[in-house]
Structures are given as structure tokens and as C-alpha cells.
Amino acid sequence: MNNSFFERKYVVQGIFIAAAFLLACRLFYLQLIDDSYLLSANQNVLRKITIYPARGVILDRHGKILVQNEPVYDLMVTPREVKPFDTLALCQLIGIDKEGFDKRFQKATNYSPYRASIFEKQLSAQTYARLQEKLFQFRGFYVQNRTVRSYPDSIAAQFLGYINEVTERDIERSKHFYSPGDYIGVSGVERAYEKLLRGQRGVQNLMVDAFNRPKGHFMDGKYDTLAVAGDGLVSSLDLDLQKLAEKFMKNKRGAVVAIEPSSGEILAFASTPSYDPNMMVGRERGNNYMKLLNDPNKPMFIRPIQAQYPPGSVFKVVSALVAQQAGMIDEHTRYHCPGGYSYGGGRGFMRCTHVHGTIDLADAIKGSCNTYFGSVYAKMLDQRKMKSSEAYVQWREAVMKFGINQQLGVDLPNEKPGFLPTADFYTKRYGNDRWTSAYNISNSIGQGEVEITTLQMANIMAIVANRGYYYRPHLIKSIGERKVIKKEFVEKIPVGVEQKYFEPVIEGMSRVVRYNANIRIPDVEMCGKTGTAQNPHGKNHSVFFAFAPRVNPKIAIAVFVENVGYGATYAAPIASMMVEQYLKDTISMSKAVQDRVLYESNLIEPEPQEKESVSAKTKTNNQASTAKSQREKTASNQTALLIDRWPDTNKQLQVHSSR
Amino acid sequence: MHPTKKIYGGKIDWISVSIWTALCVIGWFNIRAAVFDPEHASLISLSTNYGKQFLYILVCILVASAILIIDGKFYNYISPILYGITLILLIVVLVIGRNVGGNQAWISIGTFRLQPSEFAKLGSCLLLARYLSSHSNKMPNLKTLLLGIFILLVPVVLIMLQPDTGSALTFFSLVFVFYREGYVAGQFLVFAFLCILLFIFTLLFSQWYIIGTLAILCALGTYLFRRSRKAISSAVLFFIVTSSFVLSVDFAYNHILQSHQRNRIDVILGKINDPRGQGYNLNQSKIAIGSGQLFGKGYLQGTQTKYNFVPEQSTDFIFCTVGEEWGFVGSMVVVLLYVALLLRTIQLAERQRSAFARIYGYGVASIFFFHFFINIGMTIGIVPVIGIPLPFLSYGGSSLLSFTMLLFILIKFDANRKGVV
């Protein structure tokens, strides 16, 4: 009827067409011009699989495997893709209960419903095989390959260390180089050489279909990268020698370090009580770690470099060399030993083990005469035309050149430097600097405040073997394919004592071995020194260090066994057998002695009692302690504990006293 | 007389019927793709959406046939009653309705659900046409306009109480009806368009910048038209009106709109960039459509569709399936089909002799246009997410039936156009 506005139909139609045109333009842009949506669409169906690299393998010096990699399998889940399934079947297959299942699933959902996360870690190969064929029933689950460390011979646990998954802190500290799920070395070589061992992650971009089945690589693998395996390491350890050391040291507390003097390579590095490194791998890791942590013998403590002991008589070797170099004595210098050294105008008397009579340097070494060395020390400090405290400074500097009171720079973390007090230490203690050798005469025989580690002891032997220098002791011989050696380890470090002064000392040490049936080795001239480090709260520590052969030495060794008595009783035979095995591939020690070493000492249940004075002394050892970890604190508490054991082996003391 | 003419009272417009059929078929195929589960792939299964949609299509065929047979005058008579029924249903749904997705928009009848707001569009359209046509012999006046608006306002308010803002907004599209009948000037359309622009700008930039810009524009206008006597007063008036609008926009945005509505607007304006949270629907929708490229990924091959990345895949976001699986080509086919439907509807409306039929026709076109533009616009990110279906394509019995009835009543009027309705 009244259509007077009929022209408006064009406007309306025009508006409709314009709107449609607008839609068409936008569609054109979205679908044909902008590529990003295609990529995003792909992202929704893309599954990024991390290819974890094989961690570097560690071999011994002859190429035998110390630690290798074993495959394990992580079960991953993407919650949103999970369709209803038989949860009980899955639980049974992987060995968890329904509650555990719910907890894990909730955790994965909380992390992200759209992204994959770990449902159950480190399934064994058998579990994986059983699960694999049924995996299709469990939509949304898939398996990721991982590797874990495996130790075929279960030795050198402290040296090798262990690995763990990265924590938040690790990730932050590495500036997000690490991602959750990566492994990182926590202690030992695994930690020291982490950057080399860890390799490089690879990534695979897979397209998955509605059933989460991989359907091929995104863009034909254009964005995929390969994983790069970590560098392998060849350690300087001799697997057989290490095994022997751990066998002889079983059921004892202590450390053994053997070095090849011509290179500084550490041939054996035993810390006992030890543990099977395979305990720190796999699903029982957590429980085992707690067990080890709570073990009062602290098996994770790396005694060769973290236990600081008073060296005892073995220190006399250093004394002798330093005194000769200072010109205070020579090989012909004689002192008379009536059974002890008296000082301080008769107020002090340092007992000697025997009445030696008048002896020269070599004999003093052989007999381990406290009198002789007390006299030498007194001469070093008090008779040098300067204050004793100033002379002490010089004495101390000379001694420190032997690697004492400093970190040697071994390639393991948390090395302790030992302790040799400064002059100020005594000055503070006595209120003035007029103190003399009488105030710290115990230093002369390796007691008193002096503390060194077993590694330092072995190093001293290497120095003597080389007649005046050493190479920085290290545990890794070469790195990677190209057999790279770190340059600080090929540096020859002299100790400032001329070659000629070594001979009388070495002669004395040779006599020590020669005249003791339980130490000497047929056809090999070994030079060594026993020590019995006094322990005021328990049995003494048994110490022995040596090198062999005298000419062209091949091995320098230090053995420290806590709380077992005289050095010759345990430490020496152990060292002797190890050296003989290393040089001649045989052991000719009498069975009686072997049995004694292996079976007659068992110090696994100590009762730690911290006595105040010793702990106080340890607490003042705050020089040069650079590492700040919790283990550091444990280690220094440990030193206090070590000296304060009360083992119940009085019986044995009586039987094996005088050797 | 031609046999069909006897039954239907005239020639049926087969173009419209063909388009309707094409859209229903396309809709069915896409709904199937949207909910496709290879494990349960049977074609006719009432447990699936596409199974149900098939049933709804059959029902619509029956109803459409019935509409074509029933005398056209029937609708004129029935319109007030129908309108009243829809109002009652709208009230009923507020009382006993099921709450779906925050809206109390559904009445359950057995296993099926009825959405009164869909039928309210039909009822209002018919009543409005009847009312306006009864005044069509006079010049358009304000009183008629206001009463016409009131007819629409009642269902709008009731729908807003559910609250279903999307469906309520649909009624605003009927401005085209008022425009075509002369109750609203062309300038008003321009004005409305400018208001929308101003609304957008106010939300994008601080309201004070806008007011400042307006002040500068007014000063400029005053200067340019300083010869005209009314220049200053109209410029000032303009400034006051637009500034109040700007301020009211801000007020309405912050105090009247609900937070989810604000979020949707913010997402589309780019103020929020949160593809995982607030912007998720839109982002997934664009990804699905955008990844279709030219020819699409193929039927049942759409990865986004298959993995259910797009929410509301078979209802509000059905177009995503089209875009992903049929690409630009398929999308344009669908767009062109709708354009054809819209233009044809206008054409049908224009060739009616009765004002009632013509006004009704424009109502149909307006409603279809609004759904078409807003729904597709929402999926491609030029319109905020507003939950309304795409006619004939989206899954849903109530919407399919009401849209079908809207269309076929017009076809019936058209078949009868040589007669008098």
C-alpha cells in the first residue's frame, strides 16, 4: 500500500551487502593472509618431546666402566586428553594404589590440563615392557625415555657422586638453562664436571592425532634437534686398585689415597664407610638417601678431602726436609734420645716410643723418634736470631709449600684445606708474641693443632717420590673424545727443598719398611713412614704413607684408619698390599695379617660424644674455608666427632700392641 | 489452477526454499563434524547432536509444510495471541526454567528443551507488523513509533531478566523495520552508527580524551560555519549530547555491564590479551578458522574441531567448523548463501501488496541479518562474543524451528501476495 519509502530498500540491502563484505575481508585476512593461525592450530596438536641426552660416561684409567647410563622410562600424562579407562589396571601395571593414582592425577591436572607432565618417574625396563603393550588402553598417557646412572662395580661412591633432578633454585641460578626434569650433578665428579657431563637436550616436534598417537614430524623434522651426549671422562682411578682399597677398608672408618707421582693422577680414592652408589639411583633413591643421611658413620662424607686429621708421625718427614732446607740440620745431625724430649726447663716432657740413644736423621726417621724431632723443631723456632714467633712464620711458610693448609685444587667440590695455625693464632692464645717452641712442641710430631687431609698426605709422598715437586692431584685424566687435560694439572709445582735433602729422609723411610715383615714387599723397595695419631678420647688412629719403588717411583699412597691403634697394625699392611698388587699384580702378605686387616676390625657402631675442648678447637679452624654448603658444616662437626669415639676394642689393643 | 497453487494459495518461492534446504543440510554436516567421535559414528543416533538435529529438521519440514498449507490470514489473526503466549513462556521460564550457562533460558519438556526467547522473536515480529500495518495509511508519527517500540520492549526486558543479553540485543535489529516504514530517518541510522563508533572509542581511550576531541571538533565546526546563525548553538548542543553520551558509556560500562560482558568487550578491543583465559574462545575460534586457509582441511579432518578446542562447537561457534574444514572457499559459500537469503527476503518483502506482509518481511530480514553478522563476526573477532546462534546452521531445536517458521510464514505470504492478506 503506502510504499513511499520503498527506495530505502536499497539502503537496507546496501547495508547488508557492506556487512557481508566486511566479513569476507576479515575471512580473507584470517584464512589467506595471516599464517599465525595455522601455526597455532598446529601447536594445539603438536607434542614436543624432549630428547634427553646421554650423560657422559666415566671410565677408569684403563677404560673400564665406573659409571654408565641405563634406560628408564617416565610415564607422562596429559590430563585433558585422558578418556575414561580402567584405572585399576593401570595401577596394577605400574605398582601404585588408587589413592596414589588420584594424587598423581590431581597433581598433573593442577600443573596444566593441557600440557603433559610426569605421572610416574623411572619405571623399570620390565614395567615398561609390560605397560607398553597395554598403553593404547590408557588414552592421554605416554612414555618418555630417560636414563639413570648405573655403577657396575659399586665402588668409588664418594668420588663419583650422584645426580638428581634440578630444583627451582638450580633453574634460577642457571638462568633458566635447565628445565624441570633435567638432571644435575649434586656431589663428587658428577657435580665438578657437570657442564661437560650433561650434554645437550634435543627436541622432537611430533604431530599427534585425536588418540595422541604420533603421526609424523612437524614440518618433516625441520624444527627437530638431536640430543648431544655429554662428554665422557677418563678418570685416573685404577678400578682394581680402588676395589682393593675399599675391600681392605671395609668396616673401618678412614681414607686411602694413592697418587702417581709423575703426573699427579689419583690412582685410588677410597672413603669408608662407603655405600653402594646404585643406592642413589631409581625409585628407592629418596629412602636410601634418608638412610645414608641418618647413618651416624656419615657415609656420604668424603673423607680423603674433607676429613682433617692430625697427621701424627708422618709429619716428621716434612719437618726433616724443611729443617734441612733452612740449614738448621743436615743428615749427620745427631740428637740423644733418652726416651723423651724435655722442654720448658724440664716442666714439659714429650715422651718417645723408645729409648733411641744418639741417632742421626735417617735413623730418627726409621725409629720415629719424638725426641729428635722435638729438638729439631725447637731449633727451627728458637735458635734463629729472631723471635720464635717470627721463626715460626718462616717454618710455617716452608711447610705450607708442601700443600698443607691450603686446597690442593683437586677436581672435586668441597675440598678442605687442613689447618696449620698462623703465628697470630698462638699470639692471641697466649696473649703476646713471646711464645716459643715449648708452647706448641706437639706440632713437631704432627700432633697439636696441625691437621691435614689424607689427600695432602698422599701428595706429600708424591713430593718425596719426585724429590722436590708435585703435580696438582686430580681425579680426571682426560676429557671427551679429544682427551683434553685441564692445564692446571700439568703444572709442575716445586716445594722449595733441594733434591739432595730428600735422600736421608728417603733412606730412613726405606729402613722403616725393610725391617718390618708386615710391611715390606719382596723385590720392591718401598719407602714409607708409620704414624699413630693420638686420639685422647679413644683409640689412636693408624696412619701410614709410602711410595714405591724407591727408584722411578710409580705410586705414592696414604692410608688413614681411624681408631684402630698403631700405624703398623692396619694402615701399613693395607698400603703394602695395595702397592704390591699395583706393582706386581700379586699379594704375598701373610694370611694372618690379611685376615687381621679384613676381619678383625669392625667399627660400625660408634657412640659419638662431642667433648668441648676438641670441638672448640675445631671451631676455631676457620681459616681458608671457602665452601659454604650444609655439608661443609656437617664435615666440620664430623671432624670433632671423629676424634671422640669410644670403640670397645680394648681387647685388640692388648693383643696387637707393640709392633 | 496449478495444483500447488490450490494447496498453497499461490506459487512458492523455491529460491528461498532451496537456500533454506542448503543451509539445513550444510548445518547438519557441520554439526556432525563438530561432534564427530569415530567410536560412535552411526548417522542416526538420537544420543548425538547431529542425530537430534536430523530429527529437528524433519520436524521443521512438517511444520513448514503445515505453514504453507494454512491460510495466510491466520497469522494476522493469531499474532496477538501468539505474542501473548510467548510472553507467558518468557515469564514461565523465569520461574521454572533450567539454568544453562548462567542463563535461565530453557524450559525442559522430557528430554527436549524449549527456548522461549527464540519464539519471542517470531511473536514480536508478527505483532509489530500487525500494529504498524494498521497505521500504515497515515504518516508515520511518534506515538505509533513509541508503541511499536513498546511492543518490542516487553520481551526485551523479560529476556534481559534471564539474563540473556545476546537474544535481547537481537530486537534492536528491527530498527530496519522502522526505518523502512519511515518512522526513523536515515540520519538516525547514521547517528546510531556514530554512537557505536563513539562507544568503541570511549572504551579504547580515556573518556576525557574523547570529550576533549569533541570540544575541539565543536570549536572547529563553529569556526567553519560561523556565517550560519545556528552554528554556535548547534555546535554546543552537539557537544553536550555527545559528551553526555561518552560519560554515560563509561558509566554503563563500569556499573551496568557485568564483568564477563566487560571482559568480552575488552578482549575484542584488544585491551586484554589472555588467550588462555578470557580470550580463549575467541583465540581458538580464530585459530580454527584461520588454519583452514583456502580449501580447508577437509570434511572431518579439522584438527581443532576434532579435538574440541573450540567451545560451543556445534552451537554458537558452528562457523568455526565451516572455516576450518572448508576453508575460505567454504566460508564464502556460506556467507554468500546468507547474503542471497537476505536479499531474497527483502525482495519478497518488497513485492508484497499488503503492508503487514512487507513489514513482517523486513522483520524477518532484520533478524536474520543480525544473527548472521553478529555470529560470524564473533567467530572471526570483529564483534565481541555474544551468544546467539547462526540460523539453520547452529544446533538447536528451538532456534531451527523459530527461524524456519519466520521464513516460511513469509514464503506463505509471498505465495498469497496476489490475493489479499
Side-chain angles (χ1 to χ4, degrees):
Chain A
M1 293 260 290
N2 193 351
N3 258 346
S4 45
F5 298 100
F6 77 93
E7 278 170 354
R8 292 187 168 186
K9 75 172 179 198
Y10 296 113
V11 175
V12 175
Q13 287 176 324
I15 291 176
F16 288 175
I17 293 176
F21 183 71
L22 175 61
L23 293 180
C25 287
R26 176 74 172 163
L27 280 169
F28 185 80
Y29 172 75
L30 273 187
Q31 292 179 309
L32 297 178
I33 296 197
D34 193 336
D35 250 350
S36 63
Y37 295 103
L38 182 59
L39 292 175
S40 301
N42 287 333
Q43 254 181 19
N44 278 340
V45 303
L46 215 56
R47 199 210 298 167
K48 268 198 206 293
I49 302 210
T50 309
I51 318 277
Y52 288 101
R55 207 168 159 85
V57 170
I58 304 181
L59 309 172
D60 90 330
R61 63 190 298 112
H62 299 298
K64 300 193 196 152
I65 295 174
L66 287 173
V67 59
Q68 59 188 1
N69 300 309
E70 215 173 60
V72 289
Y73 307 91
D74 287 347
L75 183 60
M76 313 284 290
V77 66
T78 314
R80 201 166 176 270
E81 291 172 14
V82 172
K83 303 267 192 297
F85 66 96
D86 185 357
T87 46
L88 210 51
L90 181 61
C91 290
Q92 275 169 358
L93 272 173
I94 62 176
I96 59 177
D97 59 13
K98 182 78 171 67
E99 240 184 82
F101 174 87
D102 290 333
K103 228 184 0 165
R104 288 167 175 77
F105 196 76
Q106 187 56 43
K107 182 158 165 246
T109 312
N110 288 346
Y111 170 73
S112 162
Y114 305 99
R115 297 244 223 89
S117 57
I118 296 183
F119 183 82
E120 179 70 4
K121 275 199 279 228
Q122 295 187 352
L123 302 173
S124 71
Q126 297 91 318
T127 312
Y128 172 59
R130 284 200 310 268
L131 179 62
Q132 169 82 311
E133 47 180 30
K134 302 236 174 20
L135 199 56
F136 72 95
Q137 291 176 4
F138 312 118
R139 245 12 125 63
F141 287 86
Y142 69 94
V143 171
Q144 177 134 303
N145 290 4
R146 300 302 307 269
T147 56
V148 290
R149 292 306 227 179
S150 147
Y151 306 87
D153 285 295
S154 301
I155 56 168
Q158 295 85 357
F159 153 62
L160 293 170
Y162 62 95
I163 61 175
N164 205 357
E165 276 191 25
V166 289
T167 61
E168 275 295 316
R169 250 182 96 214
D170 293 326
I171 296 176
E172 266 169 63
R173 263 195 295 186
S174 73
K175 298 202 188 17
H176 289 272
F177 173 82
Y178 289 103
S179 310
D182 284 347
Y183 290 141
I184 189 171
V186 177
S187 72
V189 169
E190 298 274 14
R191 173 154 164 194
Y193 286 84
E194 165 66 18
K195 286 215 172 76
L196 293 163
L197 290 171
R198 72 187 171 197
Q200 237 180 306
R201 260 178 266 123
V203 67
Q204 261 186 1
N205 297 296
L206 293 182
M207 305 267 299
V208 296
D209 68 2
F211 308 113
N212 219 7
R213 287 186 300 223
K215 280 274 177 200
H217 290 248
F218 181 67
M219 299 267 207
D220 284 324
K222 181 166 156 197
Y223 297 106
D224 291 356
T225 55
L226 287 173
V228 178
D231 282 325
L233 300 176
V234 177
S235 81
S236 56
L237 288 190
D238 184 310
L239 186 89
D240 297 320
L241 195 63
Q242 177 79 13
K243 264 194 186 154
L244 204 63
E246 293 196 11
K247 175 172 154 199
F248 286 139
M249 291 294 288
K250 205 167 155 67
N251 292 334
K252 306 171 186 57
R253 271 194 312 275
V256 174
V257 179
I259 300 181
E260 182 183 67
S262 56
S263 62
E265 290 172 7
I266 298 179
L267 300 168
F269 187 89
S271 174
T272 55
S274 182
Y275 62 94
D276 180 353
N278 287 307
M279 282 173 80
M280 291 303 291
V281 167
R283 297 172 74 181
E284 284 303 304
R285 242 201 107 253
N287 288 344
N288 288 341
Y289 180 67
M290 289 317 291
K291 261 196 250 165
L292 292 173
L293 208 57
N294 292 328
D295 185 335
N297 286 305
K298 301 281 191 281
M300 304 192 87
F301 184 49
I302 310 180
R303 283 178 169 79
I305 57 171
Q306 291 181 336
Q308 297 173 131
Y309 304 115
S313 302
V314 304
F315 189 72
K316 293 168 180 157
V317 169
V318 178
S319 270
L321 293 167
V322 162
Q324 287 181 82
Q325 180 65 29
M328 301 311 295
I329 61 166
D330 63 23
E331 57 187 317
H332 304 295
T333 308
R334 306 171 99 85
Y335 285 97
H336 177 72
C337 170
Y341 172 73
S342 92
Y343 58 93
R347 272 170 294 164
F349 186 72
M350 184 163 68
R351 215 191 291 275
C352 191
T353 47
H354 295 92
V355 175
H356 290 108
T358 308
I359 47 173
D360 67 4
L361 181 56
D363 278 331
I365 296 273
K366 187 227 173 257
S368 196
C369 179
N370 291 347
T371 314
Y372 190 96
F373 286 98
S375 312
V376 169
Y377 183 72
K379 199 163 186 214
M380 280 291 287
L381 255 55
D382 305 332
Q383 297 174 23
R384 292 180 73 176
K385 300 186 178 49
M386 60 179 104
K387 275 215 194 104
S388 299
S389 47
E390 286 165 22
Y392 177 83
V393 171
Q394 292 197 5
W395 176 84
R396 181 174 179 271
E397 261 175 46
V399 166
M400 276 181 61
K401 287 220 181 86
F402 279 76
I404 296 178
N405 197 58
Q406 57 191 281
Q407 289 179 322
L408 287 174
V410 73
D411 43 2
L412 277 185
N414 302 331
E415 182 193 358
K416 293 279 209 149
F419 184 58
L420 184 61
T422 57
D424 285 338
F425 174 86
Y426 292 112
T427 303
K428 273 209 193 70
R429 183 189 266 190
Y430 298 119
N432 56 59
D433 63 354
R434 293 195 299 268
W435 48 272
T436 61
S437 66
Y439 287 72
N440 49 28
I441 194 70
S442 305
N443 287 346
S444 66
I445 58 166
Q447 301 282 162
E449 284 80 29
V450 184
E451 283 181 2
I452 69 176
T453 65
T454 315
L455 177 68
Q456 287 167 332
M457 280 188 222
N459 193 48
I460 291 172
M461 276 298 92
I463 293 171
V464 176
N466 289 332
R467 277 81 169 167
Y469 61 89
Y470 68 98
Y471 292 93
R472 221 179 285 275
H474 52 281
L475 286 159
I476 297 297
K477 200 168 136 79
S478 70
I479 298 168
E481 292 266 300
R482 286 171 298 141
K483 306 270 184 281
V484 177
I485 304 178
K486 287 198 187 178
K487 63 179 177 345
E488 61 258 32
F489 296 137
V490 297
E491 201 192 318
K492 204 164 158 185
I493 303 174
V495 300
V497 174
E498 289 166 47
Q499 206 173 342
K500 61 186 181 202
Y501 296 127
F502 283 86
E503 277 321 307
V505 176
I506 292 176
E507 174 56 29
M509 290 171 69
S510 176
R511 291 182 198 165
V512 169
V513 173
R514 212 181 303 161
Y515 299 126
N516 189 322
N518 288 339
I519 309 180
R520 64 169 173 256
I521 303 170
D523 307 322
V524 173
E525 187 176 2
M526 179 167 78
C527 307
K529 179 81 192 74
T530 58
T532 303
Q534 270 176 8
N535 175 7
H537 305 287
K539 276 185 88 165
N540 296 333
H541 307 305
S542 179
V543 194
F544 182 77
F545 65 179
F547 66 91
R550 180 171 176 169
V551 178
N552 283 329
K554 296 271 181 294
I555 176 170
I557 185 168
V559 177
F560 195 104
V561 189
E562 293 177 25
N563 305 124
V564 287
Y566 293 104
T569 320
Y570 286 99
I574 291 176
S576 166
M577 289 192 276
M578 284 181 62
V579 168
E580 185 177 14
Q581 176 68 28
Y582 184 72
L583 294 177
K584 289 168 57 185
D585 206 22
T586 148
I587 294 185
S588 48
M589 186 68 61
S590 76
K591 183 118 185 8
V593 176
Q594 285 192 50
D595 283 350
R596 184 213 307 158
V597 164
L598 284 174
Y599 303 118
E600 286 182 14
S601 53
N602 187 342
L603 296 168
I604 288 309
E605 310 302 330
E607 292 127 66
Q609 292 166 28
E610 288 194 41
K611 288 284 159 64
E612 225 284 314
S613 58
V614 183
S615 332
K617 181 161 75 162
T618 316
K619 283 196 182 94
T620 53
N621 294 351
N622 53 7
Q623 294 178 12
S625 92
T626 48
K628 293 191 176 31
S629 67
Q630 182 58 34
R631 256 180 240 112
E632 281 292 296
K633 292 205 208 91
T634 318
S636 42
N637 289 340
Q638 261 323 101
T639 320
L641 285 172
L642 284 171
I643 305 180
D644 296 321
R645 297 268 184 272
W646 286 96
D648 60 341
T649 45
N650 284 323
K651 270 198 306 192
Q652 289 165 340
L653 180 60
Q654 274 146 24
V655 170
H656 307 291
S657 54
S658 52
R659 282 201 198 247
Chain B
M1 207 198 218
H2 192 280
T4 50
K5 280 189 185 166
K6 208 159 47 175
I7 305 173
Y8 302 116
K11 248 181 99 180
I12 298 175
D13 178 44
W14 292 108
I15 295 181
S16 306
V17 176
S18 321
I19 297 178
W20 174 85
T21 313
L23 287 174
C24 286
V25 168
I26 290 176
W28 184 85
F29 274 104
N30 278 297
I31 293 172
R32 177 153 186 270
V35 299
F36 183 70
D37 178 6
E39 303 263 310
H40 304 98
S42 105
L43 280 182
I44 323 273
S45 160
L46 273 187
S47 59
T48 62
N49 280 0
Y50 53 88
K52 288 195 219 170
Q53 187 79 347
F54 187 77
L55 182 66
Y56 298 147
I57 293 176
L58 290 179
V59 169
C60 287
I61 292 176
L62 280 174
V63 171
S65 314
I67 289 175
L68 292 176
I69 295 175
I70 296 173
D71 191 310
K73 292 195 272 288
F74 174 73
Y75 300 103
N76 202 332
Y77 289 140
I78 205 79
S79 54
I81 302 172
L82 195 61
Y83 179 76
I85 292 177
T86 57
L87 286 188
I88 292 172
L89 283 175
L90 282 174
I91 296 173
V92 164
V93 82
L94 288 173
V95 175
I96 66 165
R98 278 188 48 178
N99 199 316
V100 176
N103 293 346
Q104 207 158 329
W106 303 85
I107 299 176
S108 289
I109 301 175
T111 52
F112 297 99
R113 296 195 310 232
L114 177 72
Q115 199 176 11
S117 48
E118 297 292 331
F119 296 102
K121 296 170 196 168
L122 174 61
S124 312
C125 210
L126 279 170
L127 187 64
L128 181 67
R130 179 188 159 103
Y131 177 69
L132 288 181
S133 62
S134 63
H135 291 267
S136 63
N137 44 5
K138 302 183 231 155
M139 282 300 285
N141 59 39
L142 188 62
K143 172 162 162 255
T144 319
L145 172 65
L146 289 176
L147 264 173
I149 291 177
F150 180 74
I151 291 176
L152 298 178
L153 207 58
V154 177
V156 165
V157 167
L158 285 174
I159 293 174
M160 284 298 295
L161 289 175
Q162 287 177 356
D164 187 353
T165 321
S167 299
L169 282 173
T170 310
F171 287 79
F172 284 87
S173 63
L174 292 166
V175 67
F176 288 118
V177 171
F178 290 108
Y179 169 71
R180 172 63 183 79
E181 297 305 309
Y183 288 93
V184 155
Q187 288 93 319
F188 178 77
L189 289 181
V190 175
F191 173 72
F193 180 69
L194 287 177
C195 282
I196 293 176
L197 276 184
L198 207 52
F199 179 84
I200 295 174
F201 284 137
T202 313
L203 292 178
L204 276 177
F205 311 108
S206 149
Q207 56 195 26
W208 303 112
Y209 283 146
I210 305 296
I211 292 181
T213 316
L214 288 172
I216 294 174
L217 281 174
C218 291
L220 198 63
T222 313
Y223 176 75
L224 284 175
F225 296 106
R226 58 189 180 280
R227 299 284 168 86
S228 161
R229 258 178 308 158
K230 295 213 296 192
I232 296 185
S233 50
S234 38
V236 170
L237 186 66
F238 174 76
F239 178 72
I240 292 175
V241 167
T242 47
S243 305
S244 343
F245 178 74
V246 168
L247 290 170
S248 63
V249 160
D250 186 69
F251 177 78
Y253 180 77
N254 285 316
H255 297 103
I256 297 181
L257 283 187
Q258 295 172 357
S259 72
H260 73 268
Q261 291 162 335
R262 273 201 292 276
N263 285 333
R264 289 179 182 175
I265 294 178
D266 284 343
V267 165
I268 201 75
L269 289 178
K271 275 161 71 166
I272 293 182
N273 189 3
D274 185 8
R276 285 264 161 77
Q278 302 294 344
Y280 182 74
N281 286 12
L282 177 60
N283 195 44
Q284 292 299 330
S285 170
K286 285 199 287 188
I287 287 175
I289 295 175
S291 64
Q293 307 219 295
L294 185 56
F295 288 109
K297 296 180 185 164
Y299 187 52
L300 297 182
Q301 304 298 324
T303 54
Q304 308 308 113
T305 309
K306 276 204 308 210
Y307 304 152
N308 297 317
F309 282 106
V310 183
E312 300 295 333
Q313 229 169 257
S314 57
T315 54
D316 296 345
F317 281 85
I318 188 69
F319 192 72
C320 295
T321 309
V322 176
E324 186 183 19
E325 300 198 345
W326 303 105
F328 183 71
V329 167
S331 309
M332 285 315 294
V333 165
V334 168
V335 166
L336 288 173
L337 274 174
Y338 277 111
V339 171
L341 182 64
L342 289 171
L343 295 179
R344 185 66 182 163
T345 310
I346 298 285
Q347 216 175 350
L348 292 184
E350 283 297 337
R351 72 183 186 187
Q352 300 305 308
R353 279 162 48 176
S354 92
F356 173 68
R358 179 184 71 243
I359 297 172
Y360 173 74
Y362 265 87
V364 171
S366 308
I367 290 175
F368 279 158
F369 172 71
F370 186 82
H371 284 89
F372 158 72
F373 182 70
I374 297 293
N375 182 291
I376 297 184
M378 156 185 90
T379 62
I380 58 181
I382 59 175
V383 164
V385 171
I386 296 175
I388 53 173
L390 192 56
F392 310 116
L393 247 57
S394 284
Y395 163 75
S398 304
S399 70
L400 184 65
L401 190 55
S402 69
F403 286 132
T404 304
M405 288 168 77
L406 270 172
L407 181 63
F408 274 84
I409 293 176
L410 179 62
I411 294 176
K412 175 66 180 171
F413 289 161
D414 179 74
N416 276 357
R417 68 180 179 282
K418 297 274 169 45
V420 175
V421 175

